């Protein structure tokens, strides 16, 4: 396939539900190394392992009850253009992962979720939204920009942070250039809220002195049933410096680490 190499290991252990029933943020857990889902619909967890640098996301894109695998190949050449990047879907089925279809170009990672709340899984990248359901030819029901913001997205994670049943996206973003031609400001954390019309730009959710948020994870830290965000700089000396309780739509909280 013209995507990063994938090894799929059929599961024969504890029964699990299909991946589309899991929180969207969990669909991409350990994406840089592996992703776990039920690709052959037998009720057991399967594991897909990516080649180095090949992100994965699992989701049932065509609604047939089998989890599919979205595979990124950041270094893929397109014609004479080098390192354009390619995104393909390996479709799940009764026999496991089989048919491969190209769904788009680009080097950005992909996150799956119900971003417009219509019951079909959608795919978000740093530059584009593809709304489901998807056909086996790779065509989305509709496409559009991530949001109406001219910003560079450094990192993102998906989850229902306000508990309304629609998937939201927490992104680390910043301007492409500085206003005065000097140093480009570091990225800041922002909420992109899922709505019936898709993702809408929301508020910044970090204090001005906690910028450089280029690594994000979501999880229910305080067991209130809603996803919280933890983040920090992705440097060897970096440390998690924040947690944001998204259940409080107008506020945030600082959690020293």
């Amino acid at each position: 396939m013209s995507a990063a190499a994938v090894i799929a290991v059929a599961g024969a252990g504890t029964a699990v539900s299909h991946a589309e029933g899991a929180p969207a943020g969990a669909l991409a857990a350990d994406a840089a190394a592996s992703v776990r889902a039920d690709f052959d619909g037998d009720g057991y967890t399967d594991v897909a392992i990516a080649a180095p640098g090949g992100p994965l996301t699992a989701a049932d894109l065509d609604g047939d009850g089998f989890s599919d695998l979205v595979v990124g190949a950041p270094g893929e050449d397109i014609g004479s253009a080098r390192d354009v990047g390619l995104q393909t879907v390996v479709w799940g089925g009764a026999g496991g992962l089989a048919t491969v279809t190209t769904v788009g170009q680009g080097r950005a990672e992909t996150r799956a979720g119900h971003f417009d709340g219509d019951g079909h899984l959608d795919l978000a990248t740093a530059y584009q939204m593809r709304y489901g359901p998807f056909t086996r030819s790779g065509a989305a029901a509709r496409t559009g920009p991530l949001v109406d913001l001219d910003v560079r997205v450094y990192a993102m994670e998906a989850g229902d942070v306000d508990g309304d049943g629609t998937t939201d996206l927490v992104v680390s973003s910043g301007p492409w250039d500085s206003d005065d031609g000097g140093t480009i400001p570091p990225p800041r954390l922002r909420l992109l809220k899922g709505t019936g019309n898709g993702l809408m730009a929301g508020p910044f959710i970090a204090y001005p002195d906690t910028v450089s948020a280029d690594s994000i994870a979501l999880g229910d830290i305080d067991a209130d049933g809603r996803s919280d965000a933890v983040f920090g700089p992705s440097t060897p000396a970096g440390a998690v410096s924040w947690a944001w309780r998204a259940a409080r739509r107008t506020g945030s909280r600082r959690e020293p680490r």
Side-chain angles (χ1 to χ4, degrees), residues 104-120:
Q105 298 179 7
R107 298 170 55 86
E109 291 189 7
T110 301
R111 294 292 181 264
H114 297 283
F115 299 108
D116 60 0
D118 68 352
H120 300 290

Side-chain angles (χ1 to χ4, degrees), residues 157 159-162 170 189 205 216-231 242-248 253:
E157 197 56 76
D160 183 6
V161 300
D162 56 10
V170 177
L189 216 65
I205 57 175
I216 307 169
L218 298 184
D220 187 2
I221 297 172
D222 52 5
D224 66 352
R226 304 180 185 186
S227 294
D228 309 303
V230 294
F231 57 94
W242 254 75
W244 183 67
R245 180 175 295 170
R248 299 177 179 175
R253 65 174 183 173

Side-chain angles (χ1 to χ4, degrees), residues 9-64:
V9 181
T14 304
V16 296
S17 60
H18 294 296
E20 64 271 17
L27 295 176
D30 300 324
S34 66
V35 67
R36 297 161 177 80
D38 186 3
F39 300 112
D40 57 3
D42 65 355
Y44 296 97
T45 302
D46 310 312
V47 180
I49 304 171
L56 307 169
T57 299
D60 182 5
L61 297 180
D62 57 356
D64 65 353

Side-chain angles (χ1 to χ4, degrees), residues 47-227:
V47 180
I49 304 171
L56 307 169
T57 299
D60 182 5
L61 297 180
D62 57 356
D64 65 353
F66 297 96
S67 296
D68 310 306
L69 191 66
V70 183
V71 183
E76 187 77 12
D77 298 339
I78 306 296
S80 61
R82 296 185 59 82
D83 296 336
V84 173
L86 197 66
Q87 294 162 345
T88 62
V89 175
V90 188
W91 300 100
L97 296 172
T99 309
V100 178
T101 305
T102 299
V103 293
Q105 298 179 7
R107 298 170 55 86
E109 291 189 7
T110 301
R111 294 292 181 264
H114 297 283
F115 299 108
D116 60 0
D118 68 352
H120 300 290
L121 279 168
D122 315 306
L123 292 178
T125 70
Y127 58 91
Q128 187 182 50
M129 282 297 308
R130 301 186 187 100
Y131 292 97
F134 291 76
T135 67
R136 282 289 177 118
S137 67
R142 62 187 177 98
T143 61
L146 181 65
V147 288
D148 189 18
L149 293 172
D150 185 20
V151 295
R152 179 180 180 181
V153 176
Y154 295 87
M156 61 183 181
E157 197 56 76
D160 183 6
V161 300
D162 56 10
D164 66 354
T166 303
T167 308
D168 311 300
L169 202 65
V170 177
V171 301
S172 172
S173 65
W176 290 96
D177 301 293
S178 64
D179 293 334
D180 57 4
T183 303
I184 299 176
R188 294 182 61 186
L189 216 65
R190 188 167 195 163
L191 174 65
L192 306 183
K193 179 173 169 49
T195 73
N197 294 319
L199 288 172
M200 304 291 289
F204 288 106
I205 57 175
Y207 293 130
D209 64 340
T210 56
V211 291
S212 299
D214 54 8
S215 181
I216 307 169
L218 298 184
D220 187 2
I221 297 172
D222 52 5
D224 66 352
R226 304 180 185 186
S227 294

